[in-house]
Amino acid sequence: MAHLSDDNDLFKQTCKWVHGPLIVGAGPSGLAVGACLKERGVPFVILERSDCIASLWQKRTYDRLKLHLPKQFCQLPKLPFPDDFPEYPSKKQFVDYLESYAKIFELNPQFNETVRSARHDETAGMWRVRTVEVEYICHWLVVATGENAESVVPEVEGLEEFGGRIIHACDYRSGEAYRGKQVLVVGCGNSGMEVCLDLCHHKAFPTMVVRDSVHVLPREVLGKPMFELAVSLMKWLPIWLTDRILLALSWMILGDIKEDGLKRPSEGPLQLKNTQGKTPVLDIGALEKIRSGAIKVVPGIKRFSHGRVELVDGRVVYVDSVILATGYRSNVLSWLQGSDFFSKDGFPKEPFPNGWKGKSGLYAVGFTRRGLSGVSLDAVRIAEDIGRVWKEETKQAKHIIACHRRCSSHI
């Protein structure tokens, strides 16, 4: 997205008044806010830059992806997952769920509408939101573009000299195209681990670059989801003690991951998630492949050259392709102007649970670093807040109309 370079562009645009809030983004966050507003009788408009809902899920994720958390922690407000869905729904099942969600609540996003700028007009007391052809005027603006709007591509010396195929994980679909190839996967988060696992399943030979420390936890403990256990423990115990219990269980089940070239951070997994937004890896088989040698683990990269990579420890690895599992970032600062609500990293300055509401009718959903459960919490709060004002304004408008009619009848 880019800002308007010339105010004269405004004269080429159609102006539209939005009767209710304008929601930017038709991913799970935008859909959840829309459904909650719908239930309260508040009209709204959803703008989406892509040609479909949940474009990150539909167009920028790998085929084998499943929800990392149990489905009860991932459902959106007002609609549970179907009973016949597995505990960890697949990518297709989740997209089907979102399509049904949009249809049931009649959300009807406007597709191929890229927001170029949004600014609050202090004089008029309105938000002015510009796309390529339209300027929308509204009382409330809901930022629902989320934490993962843009892929992060790191600057690495010599990358342009490599000569082989280089893609970000958002463009990876399956390992079929890499069969028999030596593949360097840069990044050891959930995406990096699962891409490596998928490459193994397709007879490729992945090498995973582990630059930083990482928490790896078992997805389940004695048949119970690790996340569900963590949620239960945090109801009674402080986060530091919950972290210690989770790490003790992880050590009992997974053993010492340091021997596998993986170093744990000094902060516990839940504390690290709260303070830095770093999600622990929930192991679904990659650790076994590392221990068998099917996935090789190497330290950071010093530089690339043609067909090879030099590591920080001096070793040289020859590879055919590179997959950058280097994460995503918020893009809100590229189009939201004149607001100090978001910090330089594109997240609200106020930490959870207070980062959903700004000034002058500005709201944010999906920036809690708490996944889909955080999305639902934000969506409910935003709809309640806007709905309360909407109800009062509607009541006042009806009263004025009624008074006008009574006065007219006496003339």
Side-chain angles (χ1 to χ4, degrees):
M1 297 182 185
H3 296 157
L4 287 177
S5 58
D6 189 344
D7 287 338
N8 289 330
D9 287 354
L10 178 59
F11 296 104
K12 305 173 186 177
Q13 293 180 311
T14 302
C15 280
K16 289 186 179 180
W17 166 253
V18 178
H19 196 52
L22 180 69
I23 303 169
V24 182
S29 298
L31 300 179
V33 174
C36 292
L37 289 169
K38 194 84 162 186
E39 187 184 52
R40 292 177 172 273
V42 180
F44 56 87
V45 170
I46 302 178
L47 300 183
E48 167 57 45
R49 65 179 176 177
S50 187
D51 59 358
C52 63
I53 65 166
S55 62
L56 174 65
W57 282 87
Q58 297 209 52
K59 297 186 174 186
R60 294 189 287 158
T61 51
Y62 40 94
D63 295 341
R64 67 170 284 117
L65 178 64
K66 293 183 178 181
L67 293 180
H68 293 132
L69 304 181
K71 61 182 180 182
Q72 66 265 32
F73 297 103
C74 298
Q75 61 195 24
L76 299 185
K78 319 300 178 185
L79 186 68
F81 281 101
D83 292 336
D84 61 349
F85 271 31
E87 187 157 35
Y88 300 95
S90 68
K91 166 185 172 178
K92 182 181 183 306
Q93 287 171 324
F94 186 56
V95 170
D96 288 345
Y97 166 78
L98 294 177
E99 294 279 10
S100 297
Y101 193 86
K103 185 176 181 180
I104 288 170
F105 292 105
E106 300 179 335
L107 301 180
N108 303 320
Q110 297 177 196
F111 297 116
N112 300 307
E113 289 258 30
T114 299
V115 172
R116 301 174 72 185
S117 69
R119 176 183 289 274
H120 190 257
D121 187 327
E122 300 294 340
T123 303
M126 300 287 180
W127 284 94
R128 307 172 77 94
V129 181
R130 299 181 185 180
T131 63
V132 176
E133 297 180 349
V134 180
E135 182 183 46
Y136 294 91
I137 311 296
C138 55
H139 274 300
W140 299 285
L141 175 64
V142 181
V143 178
T145 47
E147 304 168 5
N148 303 315
E150 305 289 348
S151 56
V152 173
V153 177
E155 292 185 9
V156 184
E157 184 182 352
L159 190 60
E160 68 282 355
E161 302 171 16
F162 174 65
R165 186 182 185 192
I166 304 172
I167 65 168
H168 191 274
C170 68
D171 296 314
Y172 177 89
R173 296 296 172 266
S174 100
E176 182 60 38
Y178 299 90
R179 190 176 296 272
K181 302 290 187 181
Q182 298 286 342
V183 186
L184 188 73
V185 178
V186 183
C188 61
N190 280 295
S191 293
M193 291 278 193
E194 290 194 33
V195 166
C196 284
L197 187 60
D198 189 58
L199 288 166
C200 288
H201 289 165
H202 287 88
K203 310 301 182 186
F205 304 99
T207 297
M208 182 171 63
V209 176
V210 180
R211 298 170 295 172
D212 303 311
S213 55
V214 60
H215 278 300
V216 180
L217 308 177
R219 186 167 71 169
E220 296 185 343
V221 178
L222 300 175
K224 188 180 182 67
M226 177 66 92
F227 184 77
E228 186 176 337
L229 175 63
V231 171
S232 299
L233 289 173
M234 284 192 294
K235 291 179 181 178
W236 306 100
L237 302 175
I239 191 169
W240 67 267
L241 184 53
T242 301
D243 269 338
R244 287 193 178 184
I245 293 172
L246 297 184
L247 290 175
L249 290 170
S250 296
W251 187 88
M252 291 171 60
I253 295 169
L254 301 179
D256 186 2
I257 64 171
K258 188 176 181 180
E259 297 177 0
D260 306 305
L262 304 171
K263 180 184 176 183
R264 288 197 185 277
S266 56
E267 283 188 275
L270 299 179
Q271 187 66 37
L272 197 64
K273 177 68 173 173
N274 277 353
T275 57
Q276 299 183 34
K278 292 186 177 180
T279 303
V281 172
L282 297 176
D283 181 55
I284 60 171
L287 200 56
E288 181 183 345
K289 294 293 184 181
I290 291 172
R291 288 170 175 170
S292 72
I295 299 174
K296 294 182 174 62
V297 174
V298 298
I301 298 168
K302 183 177 181 181
R303 62 163 287 123
F304 281 93
S305 55
H306 188 73
R308 67 180 199 167
V309 57
E310 183 182 347
L311 305 174
V312 292
D313 63 3
R315 282 184 290 166
V316 173
V317 178
Y318 292 86
V319 293
D320 301 303
S321 300
V322 176
I323 299 173
L324 302 171
T326 45
Y328 300 85
R329 62 177 165 231
S330 162
N331 72 352
V332 65
L333 295 183
S334 68
W335 55 271
L336 183 64
Q337 303 172 355
S339 171
D340 62 357
F341 180 65
F342 289 88
S343 58
K344 291 181 179 180
D345 63 358
F347 283 76
K349 290 180 179 178
E350 287 291 327
F352 178 84
N354 301 315
W356 59 278
K357 183 178 180 180
K359 301 175 182 177
S360 307
L362 178 65
Y363 297 88
V365 55
F367 294 89
T368 64
R369 293 188 169 105
R370 282 165 171 75
L372 293 164
S373 59
V375 165
S376 294
L377 288 172
D378 281 347
V380 171
R381 289 184 181 123
I382 290 169
E384 286 177 349
D385 199 60
I386 295 176
R388 190 162 44 245
V389 178
W390 178 266
K391 184 178 179 181
E392 185 61 34
E393 289 184 353
T394 303
K395 185 187 298 183
Q396 291 177 0
K398 288 180 178 178
H399 178 70
I400 292 171
I401 292 172
C403 289
H404 178 73
R405 286 175 177 171
R406 283 196 298 271
C407 291
S408 299
S409 65
H410 291 297
I411 297 176

